[in-house]
Amino acid sequence: MDENLIDTHNPCELADPMFLENETLFRNVFEQSAGGMALVDCNGRLLRVNHALWAMLGYTEAELLAMTLPELLHPDDHQQYYTNTQTLLADAVQVDHAEWRYLHKQGYHVWTLVSMALVRDAIAQPTCFVVQIQDLRAHKERDVADAAHAQALHLLFEHSSQCIILLDPAGIVLEINQAALDCAGLTRAEVVQYPFWEMRWWSITPQTQQQIQAAIAQAQQGHSIACEIDVLAVENQVATLELLLKPVTDRTGQVIMLIVEGRDITEAKRARAAREQMEDRIRDAFDYATIGMALLTPDGRWLKVNQALCDMVGYAEAELLTMNFQSITHPDDLAENLHYASQLLGGVIRNYEMEKRYIHKRGHIVWVSLSVSLVRDAQGTPLYTVAQTQDITRRKRTERELERQTSELTRSNAELEQFAYVASHDLQEPLRKVASYTTLLARRYKGQLDPGADKYIDYIVDGATRMQNLISDLLTYSRVGREQLVMEPVPLREIVDQVLSDIGATVRESEAVITYDVLPTVSVNRQQIGQLFQNLIANALKFHGHAPPRIHITAELRSDAWIIGVRDNGIGIEPQYAERIFAVFQRLHSRTEYPGTGIGLAICKKIVERHGGSIWMDSEPGQGSTFYFSLPLP
Ligand code: ADP
């Protein structure tokens, strides 16, 4: 043995020569021990350490030999160390075992099992302590891991949102977790050690209790049972549980425990029912819609069609589902339809509407109004198109009939106008002759024949003059409809001023006062609008009451047109004649009361309509009238 082992100041004396003789043996045992070993003098100084110890504590041998054992110990274990050494020195025990924490050189502590024995020499003097140090880390870690594992399982059990209940093979509750207690509204004491089928969950109906008993019986036979079941939950609410009963068996296949897992799916079930109800409604809306409804693949195959669509095109649902829209679309409408469809798929448009023709299974054409939109998934990939189809065959037929009638009407109107023009134009010439010769007759022979003849001559002259006026007005009327309209921007004020100057004499005679608002410049046919103002102002002067005529012309800008008004203070018109006065030859007075042909307002109407506007009248009999006409903005 090394001389270092002898501490001359130590009460332990190494005097036995046998001890040194056994050194080789001792060294081998000491060095090769798998556990840490040390010889420590009575002051705690390390005299000798083996390889296993310095490997355990991270120091070199030299470092350890410069230290004392207490220095290596966790401060909390110092007291224990002193007690142990004192006990050994006092011969109270031969070997002392203790769990101490040594400090690793890296600073952390190492749990160890320490056995300490006191070595005495031949005269029983204490020489040193033999200290065996077994690394307990592996055990400790396993203990910690086991504890952590158990705790994790416990936490999992307690904090699981699932209801978990453990039953013994007879169905008696061994354990129940918080989720299950919460769901049932029970305490642990009310459940544990009682039969599972007596829990108030199952008291909802007698059948439920029988059902759960049957399930337990099956699980006892080693079968896993899954079911969805309504139970009486906390606060007497009905809850739906998704239940799973699983038997746990030992190696011999014996059932040693039953595990019950339950999930409260009340909300999920309610949501599912609501969703299904909504789906049913949507399906009903689809199926029973009176318009054709369909879902199609992006390339046009029918995916789902309703009865209305089947009826419209004459195919059964099963037939349509094997076809695409292209195959029943009229060839003349296909290109337009495909153009829209590709714009829709390309994201250029969000939906489209068009009128198109399908070819009915029996071969005839069905006109439809089609609205199509596209449904995409979250990534924007087209899923399917939704098409709504309305049968407009009848409307199309009516439209065609209307078009036919309109063109027929236009044609007959044109013919009538032509006739009126020709008639009035050609009548003018012979009439002019009759009128000039009767006027000549009257001038030459008046007073030379008998008084009766003079009267007749007067009648003829009057009749001829009237007929001339009528023909002239009729000609004007037919011209208004026939003439090519040259439109130009004209200040209306210029037109009104011209009219007033033309009828200046009449205005002065009747002592009329004519005023007007600021009048706009409008794109019109100057000559026709002049005629319009002339007719309206002339009527306002003609149909005056006792007071001298007061005429005011107004102009108001509306969103799409100028509204021009010619207001007078004349005799007024009964409301029931508001329409009639605009028809040809319609007059409300005899010629002796007010002269005229009854064409003036008809001409006004035609002029306004040719300008794209309309004319109407507002009047209070005895108070005056206002004639309005609109001139649309370009
Ligand atoms: P005419 O003036 O030749 O009788 P119109 O077509 O111009 O023919 O007018 C038709 C009828 O409308 C007139 O006979 C008259 O009864 C009524 N009328 C037209 N303008 C006015 C007016 N400003 N005030 C009252 N009555 C009017």
Side-chain angles (χ1 to χ4, degrees), residues 539 542-543 568 573 581 586-589 596-598 600-601 625:
N539 277 352
K542 180 163 64 175
F543 296 103
D568 64 48
I573 302 167
I581 52 173
Q586 292 300 320
R587 313 197 67 241
L588 304 180
H589 307 279
T597 56
L601 287 180
S625 320

Side-chain angles (χ1 to χ4, degrees), residues 473 535-544 566 568 570-573 577 580-589 594-604 617 619 624-627:
D473 280 357
N535 288 7
L536 294 177
I537 294 170
N539 277 352
L541 291 171
K542 180 163 64 175
F543 296 103
H544 68 83
V566 179
D568 64 48
I571 60 172
I573 302 167
Y577 302 123
R580 196 174 126 186
I581 52 173
F582 294 102
V584 183
F585 299 141
Q586 292 300 320
R587 313 197 67 241
L588 304 180
H589 307 279
Y594 297 97
T597 56
I599 294 186
L601 287 180
I603 291 174
C604 291
M617 182 278 302
S619 173
S625 320
T626 307
F627 283 81

Side-chain angles (χ1 to χ4, degrees), residues 422-554:
V422 171
S424 47
H425 184 266
D426 291 3
L427 279 175
Q428 266 191 329
E429 184 48 36
L431 199 58
R432 200 176 294 127
K433 217 175 240 172
V434 172
S436 54
Y437 279 101
T438 41
T439 313
L440 207 59
L441 192 69
R443 210 182 297 145
R444 286 240 184 117
Y445 298 102
K446 200 158 183 177
Q448 296 179 33
L449 305 170
D450 65 62
D454 280 353
K455 208 160 64 179
Y456 297 155
I457 288 172
D458 281 348
Y459 288 158
I460 294 171
V461 170
D462 180 52
T465 314
R466 265 175 57 210
M467 199 181 287
Q468 263 189 320
N469 289 340
L470 272 173
I471 295 286
S472 156
D473 280 357
L474 209 53
L475 199 59
T476 310
Y477 179 76
S478 67
R479 273 200 186 116
V480 168
R482 288 164 53 86
E483 267 170 11
Q484 189 77 29
L485 269 199
V486 180
M487 307 288 242
E488 53 178 334
V490 190
L492 291 186
R493 187 199 163 113
E494 269 181 23
I495 297 181
V496 172
D497 284 346
Q498 182 61 51
V499 170
L500 293 182
S501 122
D502 292 348
I503 58 169
T506 323
V507 175
R508 278 190 298 279
E509 247 169 54
S510 59
E511 296 174 2
V513 177
I514 302 178
T515 53
Y516 44 81
D517 287 349
V518 175
L519 299 177
T521 295
V522 192
S523 186
V524 292
N525 178 279
R526 180 188 282 268
Q527 190 265 324
Q528 286 199 353
I529 296 298
Q531 174 91 61
L532 170 68
F533 273 114
Q534 169 142 357
N535 288 7
L536 294 177
I537 294 170
N539 277 352
L541 291 171
K542 180 163 64 175
F543 296 103
H544 68 83
H546 298 298
R550 292 275 177 276
I551 301 171
H552 184 68
I553 301 170
T554 58

Side-chain angles (χ1 to χ4, degrees), residues 34-38 46 52-53 56-57 69 72 100 102 110-115 131-136:
M37 289 188 72
L46 289 157
L53 185 65
M56 193 190 307
L57 300 181
L69 194 64
L72 280 171
W100 289 344
Y102 279 96
V110 178
W111 274 103
T112 59
L113 179 67
V114 178
S115 307
V131 185
Q132 281 181 294
I133 303 158
Q134 193 187 340
D135 190 339
L136 281 184

